[in-house]
Structure formats: C-alpha cells, structure tokens
Amino acid sequence: MDATTAEIERLKPPRRYAFLPWLFMLSGNVHELVRGRTPAPWLGGLGTVAFTALYITAVLTGLDERHRHTWVPRAALAGLAVVTYALAVGYAKDWLLCFPLLSLATGIVLRRRRLGPFILVFAGSAAVIAALRGGSSDPLTVAYGTVLSGLVTAAILSLFEAVAQLRATRLELARAAVEEERLRFSRDLHDLLGHTMSVVVVKAEAVRRLAPHDLTAALGQAADIEAVGRQALTEIREAVTGYREGGLATELERAASLLDASGIEADLRRSGPPLPPQTEALLGWVVREGVTNVVRHSGARRCAIDIRGGTDRVRLEITDDGRGAGSGTSGARTPAAPAAGVGGGTGLKGLAERLSAAGGALAAGPDGRRGFRLAAELPVDETVDGAGDGPAGDAEDRMDRMDRTGRTAEGARTT
C-alpha cells in the first residue's frame, strides 16, 4: 500500500448535510424577492420553497443507503428539474444558478447511472436560456459550472465508494488468510491422526472383547496397537520436523505472504550473521504469533519486522501502525520472570515462557501514540534450550517420553 493509497483511506466521505450550504447560492434571489424587485414575488417565493424542499430531499435520500436505491430520490430529482426550468425561464438572471444546484443533486442521485446525458442537457439548457433571456453570468460560464458541479460531485462520491469496497475486501482477505491457515493445520492433523486413531480404537475394542475368552488373541491385538502407536509417533515426529525445518526464513516468507494478502504493507529487515537452528526456530514462533496478531487484531496498514543479530545476542521487533491493541504492555523483564507485563492472550504468554527458558525475554505493548510493538531478545548460542518448545516441540517431547516409557515397560516385561 503506497502513501497515496494510505492518504485516500484516511479521508472520510462527505456527510449527508455537507451539500446543503450550496443553497446559499440563491440568497441573492431571495433578497430580491423580499424587497419586491421580482415580478410576482409570491410565485417566485413559492418556487424557491419548492426548489429548496426538493433539493434537500434529493440530496439527503441520495446519500442515505436506506433510500438511495428507492424511487424517492429520483422523484425528488425529477420535481427539482421541473422547478428549475420554471424559475429559470420565468425569471432568468441569477435564477440560472439553479442549474448548477440541479446538476449537483443529479451527481448525488445518479452517480454512475447515465449521468453524462443529463448533465449535458442541463448545461445546454442553462446556456440557451442565458443567451435568450439574459442574465448576470455568461452562457458558457453557467454551462461550465453546471457540468463541473455534477461531474465533480459524482466523482468524489464514487471514489469514496471504491475506497470503502477496497477496505471491506482487505478485511475479508485478512479473515480468509487466517481461516485458510487454520484449515491447513486441521487438515494436516486430521490426515495424520484420523486413520491411526480409528485403528487404535477398533483394536482396543477387540482386546476388550477377546481378553475374557482368548488371551493369546487379545495379546496379539495389543501388540498391533503398540505397533500402530509407534508408527504414529514416527509419522508425527516427521511431520513436526517438517513444520520446523523451514526455520526463520520460511516464517518470514509466510509472514510477508499473509500480510500482503491482508492488504498490509510488509517491511522486512534482517542484519547480522547466520543464527543457530535453535535460535531461528524460536524466532520463527515469535514471527508467526506476532504477524497473526497484526492481521487479526490491529487494523494496521503497515507492519515492520526487524531482525538485528550480533555475536552474542539477537533482537527481533514487530511493529505496526494499527490501533495499538495487543496482548500486553511493554516493559523490561528478566528471564526469571518472563510473563511479567505480558497479559492478554495465551499466545504471548507461551512465547514469553519459551524465550525465558532459552535465556531470552519478550516485551509487548503499545508503540507510542499509535501502533503495537512486539520485541524478542535471545542469546546466540548453539546450546540454546527450548527450540522445540511450543505446540510442535511439546508434542515431540511428550512423544519421546512416551516412547522411552513404552520401551522401558517392554524391557521389564521381557525380563
């Protein structure tokens, strides 16, 4: 998203009453009516009241989404056109200024729907009446003002409609990107465990049925359960390893893709020497959690990810220019108290605990008057602990413990 687009998005559409002050263009005519300098002033006054009422009705209903597509604004516009021609033909002079107001109301009501022909007809009529009846303005000036008022009004309103549609599309893309990631993970988990768990359940039921009558067959089914479980542990370990193999570079690519799909400008900066795999894995979790929060909660237009590595420590910062809503408050913490100052969702709390276990720290909170900042700092050490933490690492650690326990139990039975 470039600077021009961001500036346009910050603009707000004109309010319903923004076009009503243009009625002051007729103040000179009203003054002449009050002073009795206009023939048949009562008729002119009645026409002015009718023009004002129809103009207000056409503008307000044309800008109201509840009535915009009904017959009310179009009927008011038709009546406004009739009154405009009556006043212009009957009085001419400054009453020709009714045509620019009529064109403005037409731009509001019709916008993209056959606007051009109506504007040209009104401009031509104003020029002809001014040339035949005379007036305070040149015919070309009146015609130009009529064309300009209608086209500019329609262009401004159409621009704000397009901006609103783009904003809604961006929010929908962000929601779809998050939902797609959820579906991907659930699909992978289902494909990996669905069949295996079904087999385990069926064989466990077989063990329960056979145990009272045929112990040998029941032990065979139990052995099958053990074999299927070991195979499932292997497959899960391979899947977890596959998720973690990409490391920090893969997470940065995914983050850039997710931000781009959500309409958020991504600014990725990385400096410093290569990092150990364990450190990259932990930073990858920080990037994933931080970018997900930006997409889902911040409403930001820009997100910056800055990684600065040194010989002994590396620092990662994720900042955005959103609403400043996050899951915690900033503040320095020691590794012994990782969760201090990190409130809100469990995602940031889990990250703080994992980084603390690795000798690092996590800080999260508002970034000045606007935006949110997530900062992680880790030691650069090949022996960093906790790289396997998080959902993937926890699962693998539990599987290793289960595997060792199973082998120990099996050894005890055989002895």
Side-chain angles (χ1 to χ4, degrees):
M1 184 184 300
D2 55 25
T4 303
T5 305
E7 184 66 25
I8 291 175
E9 280 213 32
R10 281 194 289 269
L11 298 176
K12 295 183 179 181
R15 297 184 179 180
R16 295 176 57 195
Y17 301 98
F19 296 97
L20 298 187
W22 289 103
L23 286 170
F24 283 103
M25 293 174 61
L26 302 180
S27 58
N29 300 329
V30 175
H31 183 262
E32 294 296 322
L33 285 173
V34 172
R35 299 185 62 179
R37 296 180 180 178
T38 303
W42 64 272
L43 187 60
L46 184 62
T48 302
V49 172
F51 182 92
T52 303
L54 291 170
Y55 176 86
I56 294 175
T57 303
V59 169
L60 294 185
T61 56
L63 293 174
D64 191 342
E65 291 298 328
R66 297 173 298 177
H67 303 98
R68 177 184 164 190
H69 300 287
T70 64
W71 60 270
V72 177
R74 291 191 290 272
L77 184 64
L80 184 66
V82 172
V83 176
T84 298
Y85 276 95
L87 291 173
V89 172
Y91 294 101
K93 296 184 179 180
D94 289 342
W95 292 93
L96 292 172
L97 294 177
C98 292
F99 277 104
L101 293 176
L102 172 62
S103 178
L104 188 149
T106 304
I108 293 175
V109 175
L110 298 183
R111 301 186 194 181
R112 303 174 185 175
R113 297 175 295 182
R114 305 174 184 175
L115 176 65
F118 287 97
I119 297 296
L120 293 177
V121 169
F122 296 152
S125 301
V128 170
I129 296 174
L132 295 178
R133 295 294 309 277
S136 60
S137 300
D138 181 74
L140 293 180
T141 302
V142 176
Y144 178 74
T146 301
V147 172
L148 193 64
S149 61
L151 293 183
V152 170
T153 301
I156 291 175
L157 295 177
S158 298
L159 174 62
F160 281 109
E161 283 184 354
V163 170
Q165 292 175 358
L166 288 174
R167 187 181 293 112
T169 302
R170 187 189 72 173
L171 295 176
E172 180 63 22
L173 286 174
R175 187 199 64 78
V178 174
E179 188 65 25
E180 181 180 357
E181 181 66 14
R182 288 178 177 174
L183 291 175
R184 181 190 65 81
F185 184 78
S186 63
R187 183 170 57 249
D188 291 351
L189 187 62
H190 176 271
D191 293 343
L192 187 64
L193 294 179
H195 175 72
T196 300
M197 297 307 297
S198 298
V199 173
V200 169
V201 170
V202 171
K203 289 189 171 293
E205 291 177 348
V207 171
R208 179 173 55 80
R209 291 195 306 268
L210 293 173
H213 312 290
D214 192 341
L215 184 58
T216 302
L219 291 176
Q221 295 291 338
D224 291 343
I225 293 176
E226 182 181 3
V228 170
R230 291 190 183 280
Q231 180 64 29
L233 289 174
T234 302
E235 291 176 353
I236 295 174
R237 188 177 292 110
E238 290 174 353
V240 169
T241 303
Y243 276 118
R244 291 164 52 195
E245 277 178 349
L248 183 58
T250 301
E251 290 300 333
L252 289 174
E253 291 179 3
R254 291 175 179 172
S257 176
L258 179 59
L259 291 171
D260 182 69
S262 304
I264 302 174
E265 179 185 352
D267 182 13
L268 307 181
R269 297 187 297 271
R270 183 175 182 178
S271 60
L275 300 174
Q278 299 91 337
T279 304
E280 285 209 358
L282 277 173
L283 294 179
W285 281 107
V286 177
V287 170
R288 177 180 294 188
E289 179 69 18
V291 171
T292 300
N293 287 340
V294 169
V295 171
R296 296 181 61 184
H297 306 301
S298 72
R301 298 184 179 92
R302 183 177 180 274
C303 177
I305 303 176
D306 187 15
I307 302 172
R308 297 187 297 273
T311 57
D312 55 346
R313 295 188 77 81
V314 60
R315 182 176 178 84
L316 182 150
E317 286 189 2
I318 302 176
T319 57
D320 63 75
D321 60 352
R323 293 185 295 267
S327 301
T329 57
S330 61
R333 285 168 307 284
T334 62
V342 179
T346 58
L348 293 183
K349 290 181 179 179
L351 281 177
E353 293 171 357
R354 291 194 290 271
L355 283 142
S356 176
L362 184 73
D367 186 19
R369 296 179 61 185
R370 182 175 177 85
F372 193 80
R373 181 177 67 92
L374 179 67
E377 189 170 329
L378 279 171
V380 179
D381 189 351
E382 292 289 347
T383 62
V384 164
D385 214 2
D389 288 351
D394 293 343
E396 187 172 357
D397 292 342
R398 286 194 296 269
M399 290 185 291
D400 287 338
R401 290 194 296 268
M402 291 168 59
D403 202 1
R404 291 193 297 268
T405 302
R407 292 183 184 276
T408 302
E410 181 181 8
R413 288 195 302 269
T414 55
T415 57

